[in-house]
Amino acid sequence: MTVESEMFLQPPSSIDDNSLSNSLQFIEEMTINTDPVQERVITEILSQNGETEYLRRFELNGATDRETFKSKVPVISYEDLLPDIQRIANGDTSPILSAHPISEFLTSSGTSAGERKLMPTIHQEMDRRQLLYSLLMPVMNQYVPDLDKGKALHFLFIKAETKTPSGLVARPVLTAYYKSEQFKKRPFDPYNVLTSPNEAILCPDSFQSMYTQMLCGLIMRHEVLRVGAVFASGLLRAIRFLQLNWAQLAHDISTGTLNPKITDPSIKECMSKILKPNPELADFITKECSGENWERIIPRIWPNTKYLEVIVTGAMAQYIPTLDYYSGNLPKPCTMYASSECYFGLNLKPMSEPNEVSYTIMPNMGYFEFLPHDDSSPITLSRDSPPKLVDLADVELGKFYELIITTYSGLCRYRVGDILQVTGFYNTDPQFKFVRRKNVLLSIEADKTDESELQKAIENASELLKEFNTSVVEYTSFADAKSIPGHYVIYWELLIKESSNPPTDEVLNKCCLVMEESLNTVYRQGRVADNSIGPLEIRVVKNGTFEELMDYAISRGASINQYKVPRCVSFTPIMELLDSRVVSFHFSPSPPHWTPERRQ
């Protein structure tokens, strides 16, 4: 079969039974022809971008075959690309990375020098992303029928954006999508009718946006067939919002008047057409929400809910027990795998259990290579001895790999930082389990904190202890997903050399804030603007606690010679040991500083 490039970008203009069938046929054609499609993709990318400054550095001399590409173009990280990205951000419009003009930057949830990474993109990429979105419901429709008979209550939000010195917008990928013409003027799709009006989704004020989306969801509660947010943590924040605001929401529904805190003119206009007095519904909401028991609150309020649509893989798995409590164990399908750099693929068995989720990478989305990964013997990359990468069609079942991508937007052999495991094949196309982000220690939502960053934050906070002749002897951490929103917990064992002058509660609380000020901009945005992360907590433990931790690890078979204090813990017996030794609790007294403006 010849896979023409036009086939790569064909989202249906409207959804019907015929287009559902076409979408499934498209998936079949892509996955049957994995390697030919990949070969075509790299040829197209090199034909399009071969004369860019970046590729000319490697003297491809017009070659568009993947063998030449793989032999001459190095594997890179973000830091390798940063000088070129900064030139584009500062206004250089020459074809540095892409032959097409860079339309905007997508801000990655990963960071460099404490700031979000800037990923260049082109207008054409929006169509490619839209294509992947168009495949999700045709797949889901095979497992959950009649999703075209109701609506989706999805809590969707835009996030803060900024501009580079040249005026290019820099914003998260989903914010870019929600603000795009493809989203705002999307064709009617009976499988994707939202209860949330665009005006609420696009409102930059997080309270007004959440309030309006929840209000609409309550008004249309019998029409709701699925409830979701992007991340599991986002849906839990929506439930917490309902717990805090149900009385005002019920008042609005009873009287048909809108909360005066909602001041956005476009929201007020659209809600004037939706909000009508409904005392019966208001009484129902009051009855359900005023009691102490919130178990199964989702199906109680939205009785026709068939499943929750949230990401519960990777760091989000920690929220599954809480979601099960609120939803009565409703299914939690994970439908797609994507990042700021590239959209990758979809889950062809979306109703599988979260710990069994595998994604099929669609070979038309970019050119994919894989670096074999082994935690016990990490590979050091160098220009002199480039690693042997494996093509998409040649990965081996059960093995672990780091994902390397080449995109139409100009990323070439770029290390995304995701560790994947091959779980099977669909036709000739491999399926992958997302294992983890490389080097990430703590994560609540979009934030990613690594060990060196946590170490630096603790060093900065420890400066406050010096006047008390006190130091941090040992520490570990965990991401507490039981609180809503989740928050970082840091266990400290202190050496207090002057027992008559211990650090005060006020100082230890300030240590929490200093740590937060030291963390990256994604974390601080979650704390300040998105309200997706709660105040950081320090729990001071008794002296000798970390020796007990070592004794426990050795009793379970750890080598005394090789034992290292884990900088992040999640194993229940260890958490119980630590919590049983806590002598004081301390929280950040105020949010850290954050502004949308970049520091670099």
Side-chain angles (χ1 to χ4, degrees):
M1 182 190 106
T2 302
V3 185
E4 298 300 333
S5 61
E6 290 76 20
M7 285 184 59
F8 291 6
L9 295 172
Q10 292 208 2
S13 58
S14 61
I15 298 293
D16 54 28
D17 289 343
N18 190 46
S19 63
L20 290 176
S21 176
N22 289 343
S23 294
L24 296 176
Q25 181 60 32
F26 178 83
I27 293 170
E28 288 296 310
E29 290 173 354
M30 292 294 108
T31 56
I32 287 171
N33 295 280
T34 303
D35 203 50
V37 172
Q38 279 283 276
E39 191 162 16
R40 181 70 183 230
V41 166
I42 191 59
T43 298
E44 285 195 348
I45 290 173
L46 294 177
S47 297
Q48 173 182 299
N49 293 334
E51 291 304 309
T52 58
E53 180 184 322
Y54 183 80
L55 282 176
R56 278 194 279 115
R57 291 172 195 164
F58 307 111
E59 299 180 351
L60 297 181
N61 298 321
T64 60
D65 62 286
R66 60 178 159 186
E67 288 72 23
T68 304
F69 170 75
K70 294 176 77 162
S71 68
K72 294 195 172 188
V73 178
V75 176
I76 59 165
S77 65
Y78 183 77
E79 281 63 36
D80 297 316
L81 214 54
L82 189 54
D84 291 319
I85 287 174
Q86 287 178 330
R87 285 173 57 198
I88 298 168
N90 289 333
D92 191 331
T93 58
S94 58
I96 299 171
L97 300 177
S98 170
H100 291 290
I102 301 301
S103 56
E104 64 182 315
F105 285 106
L106 302 176
T107 53
S108 167
S109 57
T111 59
S112 175
E115 293 291 324
R116 286 179 180 269
K117 295 176 181 175
L118 293 177
M119 294 297 160
T121 192
I122 58 178
H123 280 301
Q124 291 82 349
E125 272 306 293
M126 191 62 75
D127 292 327
R128 209 172 306 279
R129 292 184 214 119
Q130 182 70 20
L131 168 60
L132 195 63
Y133 284 127
S134 76
L135 302 176
L136 302 181
M137 292 313 294
V139 172
M140 184 60 75
N141 186 62
Q142 298 177 101
Y143 295 87
V144 184
D146 298 328
L147 289 173
D148 56 337
K149 304 293 193 295
K151 297 181 179 181
L153 170 53
H154 281 177
F155 295 97
L156 307 176
F157 305 93
I158 59 170
K159 295 195 174 187
E161 59 186 53
T162 185
K163 287 190 175 181
T164 66
S166 67
L168 282 175
V169 174
R171 55 194 177 189
V173 62
L174 288 175
T175 297
Y177 177 61
Y178 299 146
K179 286 190 166 187
S180 71
E181 293 303 301
Q182 285 91 335
F183 178 78
K184 290 190 285 189
K185 296 182 179 178
R186 61 196 183 278
F188 176 74
D189 174 357
Y191 290 90
N192 272 309
V193 180
L194 303 177
T195 56
S196 299
N198 285 1
E199 291 84 350
I201 295 169
L202 295 171
C203 177
D205 183 285
S206 60
F207 175 85
Q208 294 189 61
S209 177
M210 176 75 86
Y211 191 94
T212 307
Q213 293 188 63
M214 183 63 77
L215 184 59
C216 291
L218 293 172
I219 291 169
M220 305 175 204
R221 76 183 196 93
H222 286 295
E223 299 174 71
V224 171
L225 300 183
R226 49 200 169 106
V227 176
V230 177
F231 294 113
S233 53
L235 181 53
L236 292 177
R237 285 205 316 281
I239 299 301
R240 180 63 178 157
F241 187 91
L242 181 60
Q243 287 179 319
L244 295 173
N245 295 280
W246 63 263
Q248 182 63 51
L249 289 159
H251 174 270
D252 290 7
I253 290 170
S254 178
T255 61
T257 58
L258 190 60
N259 184 340
K261 290 183 180 178
I262 308 302
T263 58
D264 185 292
S266 62
I267 289 181
K268 290 171 70 174
E269 182 180 351
C270 80
M271 289 308 296
S272 67
K273 302 166 188 169
I274 296 171
L275 184 59
K276 310 295 179 191
N278 189 338
E280 185 180 349
L281 174 57
D283 290 344
F284 169 80
I285 292 165
T286 301
K287 175 174 170 292
E288 289 296 335
C289 297
S290 58
E292 293 294 315
N293 179 20
W294 277 63
E295 187 173 2
R296 298 187 70 257
I297 192 67
I298 292 174
R300 279 158 50 191
I301 291 184
W302 297 283
N304 298 315
T305 306
K306 296 174 183 279
Y307 62 86
L308 307 181
E309 193 159 351
V310 288
I311 293 172
V312 289
T313 52
M316 292 297 113
Q318 61 194 333
Y319 297 104
I320 291 172
T322 313
L323 282 176
D324 285 343
Y325 173 80
Y326 287 126
S327 74
N329 297 290
L330 280 170
K332 294 168 285 295
C334 296
T335 57
M336 68 182 288
Y337 172 35
S339 76
S340 304
E341 295 90 342
C342 181
Y343 278 24
F344 305 121
L346 60 163
N347 181 1
L348 296 181
K349 292 184 177 178
M351 301 307 284
S352 51
E353 290 297 316
N355 62 349
E356 297 174 353
V357 167
S358 289
Y359 297 103
T360 303
I361 289 186
M362 293 295 288
N364 59 304
M365 299 304 293
Y367 182 64
F368 304 107
E369 297 174 273
F370 298 86
L371 177 65
H373 179 82
D374 183 350
D375 280 328
S376 62
S377 57
I379 296 174
T380 302
L381 297 185
S382 72
R383 296 286 174 95
D384 299 327
S385 56
K388 176 74 173 172
L389 301 194
V390 180
D391 284 324
L392 178 61
D394 296 332
V395 296
E396 296 180 45
L397 184 65
K399 291 196 174 179
F400 293 83
Y401 298 92
E402 182 183 344
L403 177 59
I404 313 290
I405 61 168
T406 299
T407 70
Y408 288 85
S409 296
L411 296 179
C412 288
R413 309 196 90 186
Y414 178 85
R415 302 179 72 172
V416 175
D418 289 0
I419 305 300
L420 310 176
Q421 182 183 23
V422 183
T423 56
F425 291 83
Y426 183 78
N427 295 324
T428 64
D429 205 7
Q431 298 177 303
F432 296 89
K433 177 181 181 179
F434 177 86
V435 178
R436 59 181 170 81
R437 286 284 297 180
K438 195 175 180 185
N439 300 328
V440 172
L441 192 70
L442 290 168
S443 179
I444 291 294
E445 189 177 65
D447 55 299
K448 297 177 177 68
T449 299
D450 64 25
E451 186 170 332
S452 62
E453 192 173 11
L454 180 62
Q455 172 71 33
K456 183 64 177 174
I458 285 172
E459 288 172 2
N460 291 344
S462 299
E463 290 292 315
L464 299 181
L465 303 178
K466 286 185 175 178
E467 66 174 288
F468 299 92
N469 208 4
T470 295
S471 59
V472 178
V473 177
E474 274 298 358
Y475 69 90
T476 189
S477 64
F478 85 102
D480 185 351
K482 290 190 172 63
S483 63
I484 303 174
H487 70 292
Y488 289 7
V489 175
I490 317 297
Y491 293 96
W492 273 9
E493 183 174 324
L494 300 178
L495 176 60
I496 303 174
K497 294 176 183 174
E498 297 175 16
S499 57
S500 61
N501 184 33
T504 63
D505 285 347
E506 183 182 4
V507 166
L508 288 167
N509 290 341
K510 192 173 180 184
C511 286
C512 297
L513 179 57
V514 170
M515 284 193 66
E516 291 197 305
E517 294 283 8
S518 306
L519 296 176
N520 62 63
T521 188
V522 183
Y523 173 90
R524 288 180 286 114
Q525 179 178 336
R527 277 280 284 122
V528 177
D530 304 336
N531 299 312
S532 60
I533 303 173
L536 183 142
E537 176 185 5
I538 289 175
R539 297 180 187 174
V540 178
V541 297
K542 294 177 183 175
N543 287 92
T545 295
F546 280 86
E547 283 189 29
E548 291 184 55
L549 199 62
M550 181 177 72
D551 291 341
Y552 178 79
I554 291 168
S555 75
R556 289 177 53 84
S559 165
I560 191 168
N561 295 319
Q562 295 180 309
Y563 174 77
K564 293 193 302 183
V565 174
R567 292 310 180 202
C568 184
V569 294
S570 58
F571 186 48
T572 300
I574 290 178
M575 312 280 291
E576 291 173 347
L577 188 156
L578 288 165
D579 282 332
S580 71
R581 306 297 190 270
V582 172
V583 294
S584 61
F585 301 84
H586 310 274
F587 289 89
S588 188
S590 62
H593 173 74
W594 175 81
T595 171
E597 299 307 313
R598 297 180 63 84
R599 291 195 297 236
Q600 58 187 26

